[in-house]
Each structure stands twice: as C-alpha cells, then as structure tokens.
C-alpha cells in the first residue's frame, strides 16, 4: 500500500477507541461544501438517538468552505438522515445535513432541498434510481496507485473485473469501503474493478426518491475516510489520465412505476425523447470537466450529440437489451461525470420527466 502521509499508529489508537464513552454519543455531522466535496465536524450528544429529528441544528464557518462571505460567514447545518458510524461503532452516528443561510433560505449549494420538493410532488410515480460511482485511487504523489512512477502500465484490456496481481490494485481499500457501507446501512449493491487500472466502481441503489442522493453522498464520505487509513487519495475527476484511457462516470439508472409495468417501454421511450429536448440543461449539471470524458470514444457518447438506443454503450441513453425484450424496466443515462452531484442528477431528471416547480434551479450556484 502507498506510504501514508498521516501520523497514525493503529495499535495505540485502539486503546483509546475501546474506552467507555460513559453514555455519550459522538455524532459526525456531514455536509457538502462549495466545491462539491464533503466536510465534517463532531458533536457530543448526551444520549443515543433513533431519528435525525432528535438532533440539533448546528453551524460552521462558510467562508472557509466556499459557501459564504467572511462578513456573514455563519452557515447552518440541519440534520436530514442518520447512519451507524462504522469507524467509531457503538451508538455513534453519521449525520447527513443540509446547508442553510442565516436568513432562513437554503444555501446556494444546497441542491438537496429542491430535489426533495420534486420527489415529494411526484411521489406517485415511485421513482427508483441506481447510480454507478466510478473513481480512481491515487498514491500520495497524485499518480494512479500501482502505475510505474511517471510511466504507464500495459494498455487497457485485462483490468476490467480483473483478478490477480498486476491486474487489480488496492482491493483492500475497496473491500474496506464495501464493509463500511454495509455497516452504515448504505444501499450499496455491488463493486467491480473498472477498465483503467486503479479505477473502481461501486453501485448504490435501487433507492426511491431522495434516498439515492443521501446514500451516495455518505458512501463518498466513507470512501474518502477509508482511504485516509491507507495513505491513498481518491479522485472522482472525469478524466484523471489523458490519452487512451477510460474516463470515470456516474451512470444513472432510472425507473418509474409506469416503466416497470407491462408496456412500460413506451414510457421509457417518451422519457428518452424528453431528455433529448433538454440535453444541454442536463449536461450543464452533469459534472465539471465532462467534456474531456465525453468524446465519443472509450464507451461514451459525444457531448455535442444526443442519442438513445438499445444495448449501445456509445449512446447518451442506453436501454438494456433485457428491458427491450420484456417491454418494461428502466434506462441508463450514461452522460453524468463521476464528480456530478446526485441531487442535481436526480432532481433535473424528475424535472424533465414530470415538469418543474417554482424556484427550482439546479444550476443556481453557477449563475
């Protein structure tokens, strides 16, 4: 494993981790910052809780996270979901929060609030989402782990779903993250090594409505946190290595109650047509640096063209062959980049399929 830049001694640490907390509970508050990353801080509670509704609102310095000016820096974090903490164990919890400004309005980087409104307004459609989070593991030097220093491994081919030394790298990080997600109650449905060496993927879902975004963000937090302990870095940049190497995406699988019924293929095709009419709007919220990935090569569509087709990984939207055969099911939007926000993806998806609401704007932080 990579040489760690973190001062850590597991044996010494465990002596303290085993100490009795004397009834106190540690709550790790998690929020999304102004650069699409995660930040956390810990609060001591005097007793265990069973619901996020029992937790207090808190605040942080938004001028240090790109979310507020220095002369009005307080940003408030409101709990919206809790998860068991796989690092501290016991009654300790992870607390996912939304960010709010001091005037009582959602922070401009709070995309969850608007996504929730659309999910609740269209709950009768029972939207299911499943996202495939690709990422790349780097060493402390910023180069993909296991690659020759300043050089390149053999061409792509043997690495996808590979097994064996020289074909996969950092499986220990991947396995640790998988177990941490399961402990925390994340709806993680699988993992696999990807096409580029040191590139991996985990899948979250199917989840209904806003739960997908909640679970994916906490899964990202867990991945970053696990990687600390192995001295590795995680990047979700869409094209971490230029040249003849696959980029990293966040393929988004979508299904509604109408799509899952007999004859649902017609509903799927109608949705695909609507997505084509708003191709640019979707691209605008599908991640930074996506143009380097969506070139029409390496299993991507061109960013400038929209298409949908059955079983075509070079199309913008892929309809699985099994779904076409059964005449119902789901579709996969292959356009989102790996660093896209799941609230923005699922929110604009609902907006396009079922119509928007006053005040919803998933591009607001960029305007």
């Amino acid at each position: 494993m990579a040489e760690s830049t973190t001062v850590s001694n597991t044996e010494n640490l465990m002596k303290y981790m085993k100490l009795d907390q004397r009834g106190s509970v540690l709550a790790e508050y998690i929020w999304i910052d102004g650069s699409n990353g995660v930040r956390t801080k810990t609060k001591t509670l005097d007793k265990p809780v069973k619901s996020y509704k029992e937790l207090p609102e808190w605040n942080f310095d938004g001028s240090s996270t790109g979310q507020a000016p220095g002369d009005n820096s307080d940003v408030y974090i409101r709990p919206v979901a809790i998860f068991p903490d796989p690092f501290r164990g016991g009654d300790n919890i992870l607390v996912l929060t939304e960010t709010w400004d001091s005037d009582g309005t959602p922070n401009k980087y709070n995309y969850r609030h608007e996504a929730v409104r659309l999910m609740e307004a269209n709950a009768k459609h029972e939207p299911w989402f499943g996202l495939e989070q690709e990422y790349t593991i780097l060493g402390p030097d910023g180069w993909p782990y296991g690659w020759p220093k300043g050089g390149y491994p053999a061409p792509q081919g043997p690495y996808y779903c590979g097994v064996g030394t020289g074909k996969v790298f950092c499986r220990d990080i991947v396995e640790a993250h998988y177990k941490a997600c399961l402990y925390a109650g994340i709806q993680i449905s699988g993992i696999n090594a990807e096409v580029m060496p040191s590139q991996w993927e985990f899948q979250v879902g199917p989840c209904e409505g806003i739960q997908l975004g909640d679970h994916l963000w906490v899964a990202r937090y867990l991945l970053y946190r696990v990687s600390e302990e192995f001295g590795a870095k995680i990047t979700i940049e869409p094209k971490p290595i230029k040249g003849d190497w696959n980029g990293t995406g966040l393929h988004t699988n979508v299904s509604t109650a109408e799509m899952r019924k007999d004859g649902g293929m017609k509903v799927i095709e109608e949705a695909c047509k609507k997505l084509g009419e708003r191709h640019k709007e979707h691209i605008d919220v599908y991640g930074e640096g996506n143009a380097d990935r969506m070139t029409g090569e390496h299993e991507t569509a061109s960013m400038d063209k929209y298409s949908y087709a059955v079983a075509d990984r070079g199309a913008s939207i892929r309809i699985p062959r099994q779904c076409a055969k059964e005449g119902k099911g789901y579709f996969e939007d292959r356009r989102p980049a790996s660093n896209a926000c799941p609230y923005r993806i699922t929110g604009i998806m609902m907006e396009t399929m079922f119509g928007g609401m006053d005040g919803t704007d998933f591009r607001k932080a960029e305007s």
Side-chain angles (χ1 to χ4, degrees):
M1 182 46 62
E3 180 182 351
S4 177
T5 57
T6 303
V7 177
S8 179
N9 184 304
T10 302
E11 184 178 357
N12 285 344
L13 174 63
M14 292 311 296
K15 293 189 299 185
Y16 300 99
M17 295 299 286
K18 294 176 182 177
L19 292 177
D20 187 351
Q21 294 179 191
R22 298 186 179 276
S24 294
V25 170
L26 303 182
E28 192 75 11
Y29 278 53
I30 302 168
W31 72 94
I32 303 158
D33 66 15
S35 57
N36 201 43
V38 289
R39 307 281 181 127
T40 73
K41 57 191 295 190
T42 311
K43 177 180 281 292
T44 303
L45 309 177
D46 58 12
K47 63 180 180 180
V49 299
K50 296 186 180 298
S51 169
Y52 73 87
K53 296 179 181 179
E54 300 176 55
L55 295 168
E57 183 180 274
W58 207 5
N59 63 76
F60 65 90
D61 171 16
S63 68
S64 296
T65 63
Q67 291 170 279
D71 61 356
N72 186 20
S73 63
D74 287 354
V75 177
Y76 295 85
I77 39 180
R78 298 180 183 177
V80 294
I82 59 174
F83 302 82
D85 187 337
F87 304 111
R88 293 174 171 138
D91 292 323
N92 301 305
I93 55 175
L94 306 176
V95 183
L96 183 65
T97 68
E98 284 188 11
T99 52
W100 289 73
D101 291 335
S102 58
D103 61 2
T105 59
N107 185 264
K108 68 177 182 178
Y109 295 100
N110 179 358
Y111 294 106
R112 184 186 188 278
H113 175 69
E114 296 179 0
V116 167
R117 292 179 61 212
L118 284 163
M119 299 297 180
E120 292 178 346
N122 295 285
K124 65 181 181 181
H125 298 292
E126 300 176 19
W128 291 0
F129 300 99
L131 269 63
E132 304 166 21
Q133 177 70 71
E134 295 179 341
Y135 61 95
T136 307
I137 303 175
L138 310 176
D141 60 358
W143 197 238
Y145 191 84
W147 288 34
K149 296 297 182 184
Y152 299 87
Q156 297 181 155
Y159 311 110
Y160 173 69
C161 295
V163 177
T165 301
K167 294 183 180 179
V168 292
F169 304 94
C170 299
R171 192 184 291 275
D172 45 2
I173 289 178
V174 177
E175 292 288 341
H177 173 249
Y178 202 168
K179 287 294 187 75
C181 284
L182 291 172
Y183 181 93
I186 301 299
Q187 292 296 313
I188 184 170
S189 50
I191 59 172
N192 61 269
E194 268 300 334
V195 177
M196 187 180 79
S198 289
Q199 182 187 63
W200 288 83
E201 173 184 298
F202 65 88
Q203 302 92 34
V204 172
C207 297
E208 185 166 346
I210 202 64
Q211 186 187 51
L212 186 284
D214 292 349
H215 282 227
L216 188 69
W217 269 115
V218 175
R220 281 180 175 176
Y221 160 75
L222 293 173
L223 180 60
Y224 296 137
R225 181 66 176 75
V226 165
S227 70
E228 286 182 24
E229 301 188 11
F230 291 88
K233 297 180 179 179
I234 301 297
T235 179
I236 54 175
E237 182 182 345
K239 189 72 174 179
I241 303 297
K242 309 304 181 187
D244 194 19
W245 302 97
N246 273 36
T248 51
L250 187 58
H251 299 158
T252 299
N253 300 282
V254 183
S255 180
T256 64
E258 296 84 359
M259 294 177 189
R260 296 188 292 272
K261 294 178 180 178
D262 289 342
M265 180 56 91
K266 181 179 179 181
V267 182
I268 291 172
E269 291 176 343
E270 289 172 352
C272 289
K273 292 174 182 177
K274 290 181 179 179
L275 290 170
E277 293 169 359
R278 301 191 73 207
H279 177 61
K280 183 181 183 303
E281 288 88 341
H282 280 252
I283 290 296
D284 285 345
V285 302
Y286 275 5
E288 295 294 324
N290 207 11
D292 292 333
R293 166 182 165 265
M294 290 191 66
T295 61
E297 299 179 347
H298 302 108
E299 301 181 75
T300 68
S302 169
M303 179 178 280
D304 300 325
K305 298 178 181 179
Y306 175 82
S307 62
Y308 68 93
V310 173
D312 185 356
R313 282 178 163 75
S316 307
I317 306 292
R318 180 182 71 92
I319 300 171
R321 188 169 299 283
Q322 187 65 25
C323 294
K325 180 179 179 180
E326 296 178 356
K328 60 184 177 181
Y330 69 98
F331 65 86
E332 176 194 49
D333 190 339
R334 299 179 58 80
R335 296 172 295 173
S338 48
N339 60 2
C341 172
Y343 296 135
R344 300 176 84 177
I345 294 173
T346 57
I348 199 169
M349 188 68 68
M350 295 295 288
E351 185 178 75
T352 296
M353 291 193 300
F354 304 116
M357 300 176 66
D358 290 342
T360 58
D361 181 5
F362 292 100
R363 295 181 291 174
K364 61 184 178 180
E366 300 162 2
S367 60

